[in-house]
Amino acid sequence: MGRVSAVIQDPYFEQPPWLSKIEYRETIYLSKSSTLEDAALFFTLVCGYNHVDVDRKPAEVLNELITIDEVAISGGIAFEDKNNVILPSCCCGLENWRDVLEAVISKKDVWLGHDPFPTLEYVNDLVRVWSDDYSGTMRKDLSEQELQKMFYIEYNRNDLINMLQAIETDLLEFYKHSLEKIICMTDDNLNEMLFLKYCKWFNLKIS
């Protein structure tokens, strides 16, 4: 059975000097199980991608972050089974993860990035997530070799909807179990304001 995960990608920006230096990784998974290193790379990416100077005191960085109403952050949904993984492609953002859920509910296509172009196909009660533009709608120049390399990961549509809905819990738990711990040196009120802004950035509903 396939699974889906919230991921960020390419956090290759200057790391905050007040956090321990972390080895860069291309893809980081976000959930309750994320490490403090994962959280540090997430924080680095949010700041770098949105042009926030991290070479300042932590409170100054957080104060600027909470003024930002919308962020862009490379990543999105990773689709996996025991043999394959399909990651978000170029120009896909984690901030739009809910668009994927709404697309599957409505049986529509959704932007998952380009070069390659991951694509959704609906077959009765199944959803096939293709590694590239299987229909040739976006890429009319696919070679025979590229077509042969193409593959899909198949999900029961109701199961996929449930898994995508669980991304919201993963992102909330990532904040509370990992991200919150690396900014604990700042004021509690400031931390709470950042949490509320984080929920707005990623369209998360809190009770």
Side-chain angles (χ1 to χ4, degrees):
M1 180 178 176
R3 70 182 185 117
V4 300
S5 306
V7 299
I8 58 167
Q9 295 174 290
D10 305 325
Y12 303 121
F13 293 91
E14 179 186 356
Q15 296 181 14
W18 35 269
L19 292 178
S20 299
K21 287 298 179 184
I22 305 299
E23 183 177 348
Y24 289 104
R25 285 178 285 119
E26 185 174 343
T27 303
I28 296 95
Y29 287 70
L30 308 182
S31 72
K32 182 179 181 179
S33 302
S34 297
T35 65
L36 298 185
E37 289 79 11
D38 296 332
L41 291 175
F42 174 90
F43 193 85
T44 296
L45 181 58
V46 168
C47 292
Y49 216 86
N50 295 279
H51 312 293
V52 175
D53 180 11
V54 296
D55 195 18
R56 296 177 292 170
K57 293 179 180 179
E60 294 175 339
V61 176
L62 264 64
N63 268 314
E64 181 171 349
L65 281 172
I66 62 178
T67 67
I68 301 174
D69 285 331
E70 295 181 355
V71 296
I73 181 167
S74 54
I77 303 296
F79 301 89
E80 299 178 69
D81 63 15
K82 63 181 180 180
N83 298 314
N84 297 297
V85 58
I86 298 172
L87 294 170
S89 291
C90 185
C91 299
C92 191
L94 180 61
E95 70 278 4
N96 296 320
W97 74 269
R98 196 176 285 277
D99 292 349
V100 183
L101 168 61
E102 293 172 354
V104 175
I105 290 172
S106 303
K107 290 190 173 183
K108 295 181 179 178
D109 205 356
V110 66
W111 177 255
L112 299 173
H114 67 88
D115 299 324
F117 287 85
T119 311
L120 304 183
E121 179 188 17
Y122 301 95
V123 183
N124 299 320
D125 293 328
L126 302 175
V127 182
R128 292 174 178 171
V129 183
W130 284 86
S131 60
D132 207 339
D133 180 24
Y134 76 97
S135 68
T137 303
M138 302 296 294
R139 298 190 66 188
K140 302 185 185 302
D141 59 342
L142 284 167
S143 67
E144 188 62 33
Q145 186 177 23
E146 287 174 312
L147 288 169
Q148 289 176 355
K149 286 183 178 179
M150 211 177 296
F151 63 89
Y152 63 80
I153 299 173
E154 191 169 78
Y155 299 84
N156 173 277
R157 180 166 161 269
N158 288 332
D159 290 344
L160 181 56
I161 289 171
N162 290 335
M163 285 186 277
L164 288 169
Q165 288 172 333
I167 292 293
E168 181 167 53
T169 300
D170 286 340
L171 291 175
L172 289 169
E173 291 184 339
F174 165 72
Y175 192 101
K176 290 299 184 180
H177 289 271
S178 301
L179 187 57
E180 191 172 67
K181 292 178 181 177
I182 69 166
I183 56 172
C184 62
M185 75 288 287
T186 55
D187 179 78
D188 287 346
N189 185 55
L190 195 56
N191 293 350
E192 182 62 24
M193 292 173 68
L194 182 63
F195 173 65
L196 294 174
K197 189 55 65 88
Y198 171 90
C199 291
K200 182 177 181 181
W201 291 339
F202 298 105
N203 200 1
L204 308 174
K205 299 168 186 172
I206 51 177
S207 54

